[in-house]
Amino acid sequence: MKDAVDTPETRSASLKGMGCARKRVEDVRFTQGKGNYVDDIQLDGMLFGDFVRSPYAHARVVSINAEAALALPGVVAVLTAADLAPLGLHWMPTLAGDKQMVLADGKVLFQGQEVAYVIAEDRYIAADAVELVEVEYEELPVVVDPFKALEPDAPVLREDIAGNMEGAHGPRKHNNHIFTWEQGDKDATEAVLAEADVVAEEMIYYHRTHPCPLETCGCVASMDKVTGKLTLWGTFQAPHAVRTVAALISGIAEHNIRVISPDIGGGFGNKVGVYPGYVCSIVGSIVTGKPVKWIEDRMENLMSTAFARDYWMQGKIAATKEGKITGLWCHTTADHGGFDACADPTKFPAGFMNICTGSYDIPVAYLAVDGVYTNKAPGGVAYRCSFRVTEAAYFIERMIEVLAIKLNMDAAELRRINFIRADQFPYQSALGWEYDSGDYHTAWDKALKAVDYEGLRAEQAQRVEEFKAGKTRKLMGIGLTHFTEIVGAGPVKNCDILGLGMFDSCEIRIHPTGSAIARLGTISQGQGHATTFAQIIASEIGIPADDITLEEGDTDTAPYGLGTYGSRSTPVAGAATAMAARKIRAKAQMIAAYLLEVHDDDVEFDIDRFVVKGAPERFKTMKEIAFAAYNQAIPGLEPGLEAVSYYDPPNMTYPFGAYICVADVDVDTGEVGIRSFYALDDCGTRINPMIIEGQVHGGLTEALAIALGQEIAYDDMGNVKTGTLMDFFLPTAWETPNYTTDHTVTPSPHHPIGAKGVGESPNVGGVPAFSNAVHDAFRPFGLTQSHMPHDHWRVWQTANKLGLHG
C-alpha cells in the first residue's frame, strides 16, 4: 500500500503552489519592523537635500539669492537651474515625450515647483536653509481650467515651445494644447447618433486625485569617483527604466549605474516617473563627492508629485427604444498640468482610454482626447489602474446609468442585454482592442442573485415612499458596475515607454540541493511577489514554494524588465516566470530520462517528479534531478539547471468584475453610509486566493476614498487647497465598510497559466460602484449627474438643489 505521506494529494499540498492560500512570506519582516526602506539607508558622510519650492502657480523668476543660505553652518551647496544648465541637466525628458524643468528655468508653472536644491550636512539644516534662499518672483496670470487654457487670449504657459505647433504626438492647435488623440470611426458614429431612437448625453468629470502612498518619494545617490560607478537607491516602480533614463540624462554609461529599489511603502503609479529630486541628488553627489539623500515630506508629495485623473469626458450614447446600444461617442479634455509627464505607452498618449466601450457589445464608437497644459502639477499617473482605465470604466458605467434613466429602464437589465456574449470571444472592440475571454452574463447573474437585487429594488421603492411621507431622512442607493479592465502592458508591438518595449523577465536558478532562487525585472510594493511567484514556480517544476527565494529591484542582479505598475506583474512577469520554469522542466525531463535509462518521451511530469509512463513506481524527484544536474556528466547537456525568459505577451489580458454597492444617503448631513459592498472578480487563474482578497479589499478602500472625498483641489490662483492630510481624505477603519468578495474563473487563453491580473480591478470597478450608488439614491427625484467626489458638502448641495431639504 502506498505510503500515506506520498499520495498525489499530500505531495501537491506540500508544494504550496498555485491555488493555495499561502501566507505572505514578506510579512514576517514587515510586522517585526525589519523592512528596509529608502530612508533607512545610512551611508558614511551622507548629505541631505531639500527643495526651495514656488509659492506661486505661475510666475517669472526674477532672481535667486542663496548667500544667506550658504552662510548657514552645515550648508554645502545650493543648486539652481543656472548651475545645472552647463551640464544640460536643467531640463529632463518625461515619459510622455515632453521635457520638464528639473529646477525652475526662467519661470514656474505650478505651486510647489522646484526652484533651488539645498544640500546640507543635516536634513534639518537643509530645511532651515531653504527658508533663507531669497527668490524674487513676478506673478503671471494663472490658468487652472483646461477649457480656459484653450481660449484664444489665454496666457502662454510653455514659453519654451511657444509657436512650435508640432508636438510629440502630432499637431498642436494652441500654445497650451499638447495633443489630440483619436480612435474609432467618427463619421459612422455621428451617423448612428443622428439616426438613433434615443441619445443620452452627459459631461462626466473624474476629478484630480493622488495616490498618496504610505511612503513618500525619495532616493539616495552615491557617486564613487574612484570606480566611476553611481549607485542610486530609490522608491522606483521601474528600476531598470530609471537606470536607462539616468544614463540618458547624466551621460554616465549605463553599466556604471546601479539602481536599487529596496522595500517600497506603496506605489500605486506615483513612483513610476522620474522626479527632479532624483536628478538633483545625483548631481549633488557628483559635485560633493558624497552620498546625497532626498526624502520629500507629505505636503510636497501631495502638491508636486504625479497626480491622477483630471479628465472631463463629454459623452453621447445611442440606443434603440428597447435599450440595445448602437453607438458611443466621447470627447475628453485631459488636464496634464504644467508638463506632459504622464506615464503612458508612447502610442497611447491618453493611456488605454479606448477601453471605454467597457463590457458592452457596441458596434461603432469614436473617442477623441485633447491634452492641455494648465498651472497645476504634472504627472498623470495610473493610480491603481492600467493607464487611464479607471477613467474609461467610470465614463461608460455612468453613461449606462444616464441611458437607463433616459429609457426609464432598469440599469441591471440594460447592462445584461448589451453584454458581450461568451461565444463572441475573442472579441474585437470598436476602438481597437481584442478582448481575450469572458463570461459576463454568468458573473452578472451570480452577483444579482447574491445580493437579492429584486429585494433591494423593492426596499428602495419603499424607502422613497417613507421619505416622501416624512418617516425617514435617508435615501437608499444601489450602485451597479460591470467593468472590463485591460492590463498586462504589454506587447512590444503595442507598448513602449521612451522606446523601451514593455516585456518582462525572470531568471531561475536551481541549486544542487533542490532549492531555488528567482530574479525578476519587477519590484513589489506590497503585491506579495515573493509569495505568489514562488507558487507559480512550485507548480511548474515541483519544488516547494518555501524553498524558493525571490529577488527583485537590483539592476546589477535582476534581468532587464519594465517594472511593476498597471497590473502587469502577473500577466507579464508571472508569464515570464512560468516560461522560465518550463525551460527548466524541459531540461529536467532529459536528465530524469537519462537517470531512469529511458527515452525522453517515456517520462512525464507528476507534481514534483518525473515518472516512467506506465511504471509510476519508477521516478526521480526534482530534488534528485537537481543534484544530478551538478554532479553527473549527462551526454548532450550542459551542467547546471537554470533558465532565463524574456516574455513579450501576444496580447493584453482583460480581467472583469461585477460590483454592487448599497448606500444610505442622509439628505440633511450629506453623509454617505455604505451598508454593503459585493465584489465579484474574474482574474482568470487564481494563484493565491488570500492575496487576491487582500488586493480587492485594499483597492476597494482606495476607490471609496476617491469616490467620497479624495481630491487635489485648486483655487483660481492655483493654490492647492488639499495639500495636507487634514484636507485630503484617507479612510480609516471607521469609514471603511465590510466587503463581500466572490469570483468566477475565465482563464486567459494566451497566458501560460491563464492568469489575468487583479491588483487594480477593485479601484477600476469600485469607483463607479460607489458613485453610482450616490447617484441612484437621488434618481427618483430627477438627478442624472453630479460630479465626484461625493463628500458631505457636495451631497448636501445635491439634496438642496433637488429641494429635498424643504
Side-chain angles (χ1 to χ4, degrees):
M1 191 172 94
K2 183 175 285 190
D3 191 334
V5 299
D6 194 33
T7 65
E9 293 76 16
T10 57
R11 289 191 286 119
S12 180
S14 68
L15 292 181
K16 299 181 182 178
M18 291 190 294
C20 171
R22 183 188 183 211
K23 290 185 178 180
R24 285 169 39 109
V25 299
E26 299 93 330
D27 291 345
V28 174
R29 72 175 188 278
F30 290 143
T31 56
Q32 294 181 19
K34 295 182 179 179
N36 183 35
Y37 299 91
V38 174
D39 207 15
D40 292 324
I41 296 169
Q42 302 294 330
L43 302 176
D44 291 341
M46 188 164 64
L47 303 174
F48 298 84
D50 199 358
F51 280 109
V52 177
R53 296 183 180 273
S54 170
Y56 299 103
H58 194 200
R60 206 165 301 284
V61 179
V62 178
S63 64
I64 302 174
N65 187 340
E67 290 181 6
L70 289 168
L72 183 68
V75 173
V76 177
V78 178
L79 301 178
T80 66
D83 299 307
L84 300 184
L87 304 173
L89 297 177
H90 55 316
W91 289 73
M92 65 180 180
T94 72
L95 297 180
D98 197 1
K99 59 178 182 175
Q100 177 178 351
M101 297 178 202
V102 175
L103 294 173
D105 184 22
K107 65 186 295 190
V108 293
L109 290 170
F110 61 92
Q111 187 182 59
Q113 184 174 341
E114 301 84 353
V115 176
Y117 188 66
V118 174
I119 303 172
E121 295 173 355
D122 180 280
R123 66 191 309 167
Y124 300 103
I125 295 174
D128 289 341
V130 162
E131 302 298 323
L132 297 176
V133 177
E134 299 174 4
V135 184
E136 182 182 352
Y137 298 95
E138 175 191 334
E139 290 189 68
L140 298 171
V142 173
V143 183
V144 293
D145 183 328
F147 298 101
K148 291 182 179 179
L150 295 179
E151 292 178 354
D153 59 347
V156 176
L157 303 185
R158 289 290 300 277
E159 295 175 353
D160 59 297
I161 55 174
N164 180 5
M165 293 294 105
E166 189 64 32
H169 304 289
R172 301 167 62 223
K173 56 189 179 186
H174 186 286
N175 277 316
N176 295 332
H177 182 249
I178 307 172
F179 64 81
T180 296
W181 181 59
E182 297 178 283
Q183 292 285 303
D185 191 328
K186 182 179 181 180
D187 292 340
T189 302
E190 291 181 346
V192 166
L193 289 167
E195 300 171 1
D197 293 342
V198 177
V199 176
E201 300 186 40
E202 198 63 69
M203 171 64 86
I204 298 169
Y205 178 50
Y206 199 135
H207 58 286
R208 176 175 285 229
T209 185
H210 192 280
C212 193
L214 184 64
E215 180 192 22
T216 60
C217 296
C219 70
V220 176
S222 181
M223 182 70 185
D224 188 325
K225 292 190 175 182
V226 175
T227 64
K229 182 144 187 171
L230 170 69
T231 303
L232 185 65
W233 294 263
T235 51
F236 309 131
Q237 290 184 236
H240 282 96
V242 168
R243 184 183 68 179
T244 299
V245 172
L248 291 171
I249 292 174
S250 68
I252 300 172
E254 193 163 355
H255 70 277
N256 278 332
I257 302 175
R258 181 184 185 185
V259 175
I260 302 171
S261 290
D263 291 327
I264 296 178
F268 312 115
N270 192 229
K271 295 168 181 171
V272 174
V274 176
Y275 293 117
Y278 305 158
V279 178
C280 289
S281 298
I282 292 171
V283 173
S285 183
I286 294 172
V287 169
T288 65
K290 295 182 179 181
V292 176
K293 177 187 284 188
W294 167 70
I295 303 291
E296 65 182 0
D297 65 27
R298 180 58 62 188
M299 288 183 66
E300 291 176 308
N301 183 259
L302 288 171
M303 289 176 63
S304 62
T305 61
F307 72 95
R309 321 302 190 236
D310 217 343
Y311 264 32
W312 291 89
M313 301 170 285
Q314 179 69 49
K316 301 177 185 179
I317 189 166
T320 65
K321 294 177 182 177
E322 295 74 28
K324 182 61 180 174
I325 298 171
T326 56
L328 180 70
W329 182 96
C330 177
H331 182 272
T332 296
T333 301
D335 189 334
H336 283 222
F339 307 98
D340 185 11
C342 296
D344 290 324
T346 302
K347 296 178 183 177
F348 301 93
F352 297 159
M353 183 65 191
N354 54 325
I355 194 72
C356 65
T357 53
S359 305
Y360 309 103
D361 183 17
I362 301 177
V364 63
Y366 170 72
L367 167 71
V369 182
D370 280 310
V372 183
Y373 291 122
T374 63
N375 289 126
K376 298 178 183 176
V381 302
Y383 172 11
R384 200 159 186 164
C385 84
S386 186
F387 307 117
R388 304 292 187 165
V389 174
T390 296
E391 290 93 321
Y394 185 69
F395 168 77
I396 185 61
E397 290 304 300
R398 284 299 308 133
M399 290 304 298
I400 291 290
E401 294 289 316
V402 173
L403 178 60
I405 293 172
K406 185 90 171 183
L407 291 165
N408 193 27
M409 186 175 185
D410 180 78
E413 182 60 21
L414 179 61
R415 285 175 169 86
R416 185 198 307 276
I417 66 176
N418 285 289
F419 282 146
I420 301 164
R421 301 188 313 274
D423 62 6
Q424 290 180 275
F425 289 95
Y427 174 81
Q428 190 71 36
S429 80
L431 291 176
W433 296 117
E434 184 183 287
Y435 293 24
D436 53 1
S437 63
D439 188 349
Y440 299 162
H441 287 90
T442 295
W444 195 236
D445 291 343
K446 186 176 184 180
L448 296 180
K449 182 179 180 180
V451 301
D452 183 18
Y453 179 69
E454 292 184 2
L456 288 174
R457 284 299 182 198
E459 181 185 352
Q460 184 186 40
Q462 179 64 30
R463 179 74 66 86
V464 171
E465 294 304 315
E466 291 175 353
F467 182 86
K468 291 178 178 179
K471 296 179 180 179
T472 181
R473 300 298 294 162
K474 290 185 178 181
L475 301 175
M476 174 182 167
I478 305 169
L480 303 176
T481 292
H482 192 291
F483 66 93
T484 295
E485 194 182 4
I486 176 173
V487 305
V492 171
K493 63 183 179 183
N494 297 121
C495 297
D496 74 277
I497 291 182
L498 290 182
L500 300 174
M502 297 180 72
F503 58 87
D504 231 291
S505 57
C506 178
E507 172 193 296
I508 303 174
R509 181 173 300 164
I510 311 298
H511 303 308
T513 53
S515 63
I517 186 169
R519 296 186 173 98
L520 289 96
T522 47
I523 175 65
S524 178
Q525 308 114 44
Q527 294 90 342
H529 290 178
T531 303
T532 55
F533 287 144
Q535 290 182 257
I536 295 173
I537 297 170
S539 290
E540 290 288 345
I541 61 177
I543 290 176
D546 290 344
D547 293 339
I548 301 168
T549 296
L550 192 90
E551 287 186 4
E552 299 175 295
D554 188 337
T555 59
D556 267 14
T557 59
Y560 202 105
L562 267 290
T564 299
Y565 45 87
S567 273
R568 65 188 304 277
S569 294
T570 298
V572 188
T577 302
M579 297 303 286
R582 290 177 187 181
K583 290 180 181 180
I584 287 175
R585 193 170 73 196
K587 184 175 181 180
Q589 180 172 349
M590 291 185 282
I591 296 171
Y594 175 81
L595 297 176
L596 292 166
E597 299 180 329
V598 296
H599 190 272
D600 297 355
D601 294 337
D602 291 330
V603 295
E604 59 185 358
F605 186 65
D606 181 26
I607 302 174
D608 62 348
R609 62 193 61 182
F610 280 93
V611 302
V612 176
K613 295 178 181 178
E617 70 280 0
R618 297 185 61 204
F619 63 85
K620 290 294 179 181
T621 66
M622 283 301 300
K623 192 169 185 177
E624 293 172 316
I625 294 168
F627 196 75
Y630 289 91
N631 76 351
Q632 291 201 30
I634 301 173
L637 293 180
E638 296 177 349
L641 196 55
E642 56 186 68
V644 179
S645 174
Y646 283 81
Y647 183 77
D648 178 19
N651 189 13
M652 310 286 188
T653 59
Y654 296 79
F656 62 91
Y659 288 2
I660 301 175
C661 173
V662 180
D664 294 307
V665 179
D666 190 318
V667 299
D668 294 320
T669 66
E671 182 178 2
V672 177
I674 306 302
R675 186 199 309 178
S676 63
F677 197 106
Y678 171 89
L680 180 151
D681 280 281
D682 192 315
C683 59
T685 301
R686 292 161 61 84
I687 299 170
N688 186 315
M690 183 168 60
I691 285 184
I692 290 173
E693 186 171 11
Q695 290 278 358
V696 172
H697 283 199
L700 288 176
T701 303
E702 288 183 315
L704 169 79
I706 293 169
L708 300 189
Q710 197 173 76
E711 179 184 25
I712 297 294
Y714 291 80
D715 66 16
D716 291 341
M717 297 301 294
N719 297 308
V720 179
K721 299 192 294 183
T722 52
T724 75
L725 296 186
M726 292 293 290
D727 306 295
F728 187 80
F729 175 47
L730 286 183
T732 66
W734 180 261
E735 292 91 3
T736 304
N738 291 321
Y739 305 115
T740 299
T741 59
D742 205 345
H743 66 277
T744 56
V745 177
T746 311
S748 174
H750 63 77
H751 190 279
I753 61 174
K756 293 186 175 185
V758 74
E760 291 161 342
S761 292
N763 198 341
V764 171
V767 173
F770 285 116
S771 182
N772 282 346
V774 177
H775 283 96
D776 188 66
F778 290 114
R779 175 178 173 176
F781 301 92
L783 179 73
T784 59
Q785 174 71 347
S786 65
H787 294 315
M788 287 194 298
H790 304 295
D791 55 55
H792 294 185
W793 171 237
R794 286 183 175 92
V795 173
W796 185 91
Q797 285 182 308
T798 298
N800 192 48
K801 290 177 182 177
L802 294 171
L804 301 182
H805 291 152

